[in-house]
């Protein structure tokens, strides 16, 4: 009977000591709490993409009266116009600053994607023209691309942008690469143009240098092109500005100490 009566007290004692260790920290000393767990901070690219997704999911108040397809095309087309303007193409102010109401008046509440086509000229070289196509297919194949090339040939245009709903087929990608010598075609998904990424607070100001500015930069700092920091051609901002291999972009960031911090990157 006595050993049976002692066992619960021994178990109770061990439970109390375990409870004490649990609440007093790993060292077992009361009054010293265990350090808080460290949470890793997401990288800036992840924060930017999360912010972009949140903005894209919430249409502005002026677009809430439009049909979903019309509101989506309005936002995509407006971002496309801003992108072309920042690339140096001539875009009318009424197009850049156009409201949702003006869009509905011009195209209707539920317009077709073929109505969104754009034709622009570069401000400093009117012979440098570009067309923007909005194919209807969910997944674009070779046939629509051949049709776009025929339109480019008729208008004597060598550059174009496709805004696709979702993606393009592997054969279409191969066709674009094979035609790159005569026709340069870029493509963006709808989801990539719902929001202008260059207007986000996490994205610094980017200015693309021309050949003269690039030569002056290398001469001033006595550098070779390969000594500059690099930016990948498939970087979202590089794609936005249409950077080509060898082009240099000037990046201006806000600095708490210097006011602003300037760096240069070459596209590879």
């Amino acid at each position: 009977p006595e050993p049976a009566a002692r066992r619960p007290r021994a178990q109770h004692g061990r439970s109390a000591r375990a409870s004490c260790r649990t609440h007093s920290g790993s060292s077992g000393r009361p009054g010293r709490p265990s350090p808080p767990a460290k949470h890793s901070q997401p990288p800036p690219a992840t924060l930017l993409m999360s912010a972009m997704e949140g903005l894209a999911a919430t249409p502005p108040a002026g677009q809430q009266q439009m049909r979903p397809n019309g509101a989506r095309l309005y936002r995509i087309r407006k971002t496309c116009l801003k992108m072309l303007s920042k690339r140096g193409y001539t875009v009318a102010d009424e197009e850049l600053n156009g409201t949702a109401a003006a869009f509905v008046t011009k195209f209707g509440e539920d317009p077709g994607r073929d109505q969104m086509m754009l034709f622009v000229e570069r401000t400093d070289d009117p012979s440098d023209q570009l067309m923007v196509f909005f194919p209807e297919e969910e997944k674009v194949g070779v046939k629509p691309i051949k049709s776009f090339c025929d339109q480019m040939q008729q208008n004597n245009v060598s550059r174009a942008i496709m805004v696709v709903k979702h993606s393009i087929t592997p054969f279409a990608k191969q066709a674009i690469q094979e035609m790159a010598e005569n026709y340069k075609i870029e493509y963006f998904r709808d989801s990539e143009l719902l929001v202008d990424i260059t207007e986000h607070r996490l994205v610094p100001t980017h200015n693309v240098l021309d050949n003269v500015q690039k030569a002056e930069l290398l001469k001033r700092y006595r550098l070779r092109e390969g000594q500059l920091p690099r930016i990948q051609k498939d970087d979202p901002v590089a794609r936005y500005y249409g950077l080509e291999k060898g082009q240099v972009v000037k990046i201006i960031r806000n600095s708490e100490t210097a006011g602003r911090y300037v760096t240069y990157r070459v596209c590879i």
Side-chain angles (χ1 to χ4, degrees):
E2 287 186 359
R6 292 173 184 169
R7 285 194 190 97
R9 287 197 297 271
Q11 290 177 357
H12 179 74
R14 285 196 297 270
S15 299
R17 288 193 297 272
S19 176
C20 180
R21 286 195 298 269
T22 301
H23 293 286
S24 62
S26 58
S27 62
R29 297 177 183 177
R32 182 178 296 178
S34 57
K38 295 182 179 180
H39 300 282
S40 59
Q41 182 73 11
T46 303
L47 293 173
L48 175 60
M49 294 307 297
S50 299
M52 291 294 102
E53 291 173 359
L55 289 174
T58 307
Q63 302 170 36
Q64 293 176 0
Q65 304 299 326
M66 300 173 64
R67 294 186 180 181
N69 178 64
R72 185 179 180 88
L73 286 177
Y74 165 73
R75 298 171 67 183
I76 293 170
R77 188 174 186 272
K78 190 158 189 176
T79 301
C80 200
L81 290 168
K82 291 179 181 179
M83 179 176 69
L84 294 173
S85 178
K86 292 176 182 178
R87 288 190 181 193
Y89 290 94
T90 302
V91 180
D93 290 338
E94 56 267 22
E95 290 276 17
L96 285 175
N97 303 319
T99 62
F103 179 86
V104 172
T105 302
K106 184 175 182 179
F107 299 106
E109 294 183 357
D110 191 15
R113 293 179 67 89
D114 57 338
Q115 296 177 255
M116 301 295 106
M117 190 180 72
L118 298 169
F119 187 96
V120 293
E121 300 176 350
R122 188 174 288 277
T123 303
D124 57 357
D125 184 9
S127 64
D128 185 356
Q129 301 171 332
L130 181 143
M131 301 180 72
V132 183
F133 301 101
F134 293 77
E136 292 282 357
E137 293 80 1
E138 295 289 332
K139 195 170 185 179
V140 178
V142 176
K143 186 176 180 180
I145 293 177
K146 289 184 177 180
S147 175
F148 297 151
C149 288
D150 291 339
Q151 296 182 51
M152 294 168 66
Q153 186 177 10
Q154 293 172 5
N155 291 279
N156 196 25
V157 174
S158 60
R159 298 177 64 90
I161 294 175
M162 282 195 313
V163 182
V164 302
K165 288 184 177 180
H166 296 294
S167 62
I168 66 176
T169 65
F171 291 107
K173 292 180 181 179
Q174 183 178 354
I176 290 176
Q177 293 175 356
E178 292 175 352
M179 294 184 297
E181 293 184 4
N182 300 319
Y183 302 103
K184 177 174 175 53
I185 301 177
E186 308 169 57
Y187 65 93
F188 291 85
R189 297 189 302 273
D190 282 1
S191 58
E192 294 176 313
L193 296 178
L194 284 171
V195 178
D196 189 341
I197 61 173
T198 62
E199 295 179 353
H200 195 272
R201 62 182 180 84
L202 294 178
V203 179
T205 302
H206 289 66
N207 296 323
V208 182
L209 305 186
D210 58 29
N211 292 332
V212 175
Q213 293 171 326
K214 174 183 173 182
E216 291 177 352
L217 171 71
L218 297 177
K219 182 179 179 180
R220 183 192 313 147
Y221 294 103
R222 298 180 181 179
L223 294 172
R224 297 188 302 275
E225 181 180 303
Q227 293 177 302
L228 289 172
R230 302 172 183 177
I231 183 172
Q232 297 287 339
K233 190 175 180 179
D234 58 356
D235 181 273
V237 177
R239 292 181 62 225
Y240 182 95
Y241 285 99
L243 293 183
E244 298 286 352
K245 183 178 179 182
Q247 281 191 293
V248 176
V249 61
K250 178 181 179 180
I251 304 174
I252 305 173
R253 304 177 186 273
N254 294 327
S255 172
E256 295 181 357
T257 55
R260 68 173 192 168
Y261 172 72
V262 178
T263 186
Y264 298 86
R265 292 183 180 273
V266 61
C267 183
I268 59 172

